[in-house]
Amino acid sequence: MAEVLALVEARLHTTLGEPDARAAVTFLGTDRIEVLRFIDGDIVRYATLGMSAQPMNDPKDVLADPVKGPRAELLLSVRGGLADTDKVLRALAVLASSPQVEGVIVAPGNSMDLGEPLWPDAPYSSVLVAESGGLVADLELDDPMDPVRFLPLLPMTPNEAAWKRVHGAAALQERWLKHGTDLRDPLRRSVPLD
């Protein structure tokens, strides 16, 4: 577990630089989740560290496999200085602990809903999990372990989340592209959905 997290942290540092801040959250019955903050010009990136320590297992499995299974960490990128986005640390830790707490497998196309704003006055309470491999390359681990995937989170307004449930993740992403939506704007409004 510690070896995997050391490799994950090294990959984050190699790709994003040194974090300028970090916080740790531990929920009852779960492993510790850290959230690292990286500043890149006017972009603030938050990355979880700890979610990949254990593989995610299907809740229908009688016994959880301690070695095999998908592993992931979460990434969130926002424009700095426009909102109090540093309060997202706890929200990200909650999302990163969901495989341990709820027995879910976090994968691209999934929606994750907190039921409260991601940060104070945020117009979002849920995120869409995007494909890995863009900002931070997947981290290959020794067989038989699955690679660690660094999954970007795309904040969704309540209307976008409801529309995604009906039409699917790909359709929502196409709509964002069509309208030139800046998904890193922490104050953006919902994309037109009619």
Side-chain angles (χ1 to χ4, degrees):
M1 174 176 126
E3 182 180 320
V4 169
L5 293 183
L7 293 170
V8 168
E9 187 165 5
R11 173 60 57 89
L12 288 169
H13 289 202
T14 302
T15 307
L16 302 176
E18 287 297 314
D20 79 321
R22 65 192 309 145
V25 179
T26 305
F27 301 103
L28 186 63
T30 67
D31 295 328
R32 178 173 130 145
I33 301 288
E34 289 189 79
V35 180
L36 285 60
R37 183 181 70 186
F38 302 86
I39 306 291
D40 181 13
D42 70 334
I43 302 297
V44 181
R45 301 189 196 285
Y46 301 95
T48 63
L49 179 63
M51 182 177 170
S52 62
Q54 305 292 333
M56 294 179 275
N57 289 281
D58 191 316
K60 293 178 268 183
D61 293 344
V62 177
L63 291 173
D65 191 317
V67 177
K68 291 183 183 179
R71 294 175 188 259
E73 295 292 352
L74 306 176
L75 301 169
L76 176 69
S77 299
V78 294
R79 293 200 183 284
L82 301 175
D84 190 10
T85 58
D86 280 348
K87 299 280 198 265
V88 78
L89 301 177
R90 181 168 167 67
L92 287 174
V94 168
L95 296 174
S97 66
S98 62
Q100 289 181 56
V101 174
E102 300 171 25
V104 297
I105 294 177
V106 178
N110 289 161
S111 296
M112 301 177 79
D113 194 332
L114 281 168
E116 60 186 43
L118 292 177
W119 53 82
D121 300 320
Y124 328 101
S125 61
S126 62
V127 294
L128 175 64
V129 181
E131 292 287 341
S132 67
L135 182 61
V136 181
D138 295 345
L139 174 65
E140 296 295 329
L141 300 175
D142 293 336
D143 277 337
M145 293 188 283
D146 288 19
V148 176
R149 304 200 185 286
F150 296 88
L151 301 171
L153 300 179
L154 309 175
M156 293 187 293
T157 66
N159 286 345
E160 290 169 340
W163 198 86
K164 182 257 179 195
R165 280 192 293 278
V166 174
H167 300 281
L172 179 58
Q173 288 177 306
E174 284 174 27
R175 190 158 286 264
W176 282 335
L177 281 172
K178 176 182 170 189
H179 290 278
T181 305
D182 181 2
L183 296 172
R184 296 181 295 193
D185 180 352
L187 303 173
R188 75 172 180 84
R189 301 230 181 274
S190 184
V191 70
L193 298 169
D194 36 314

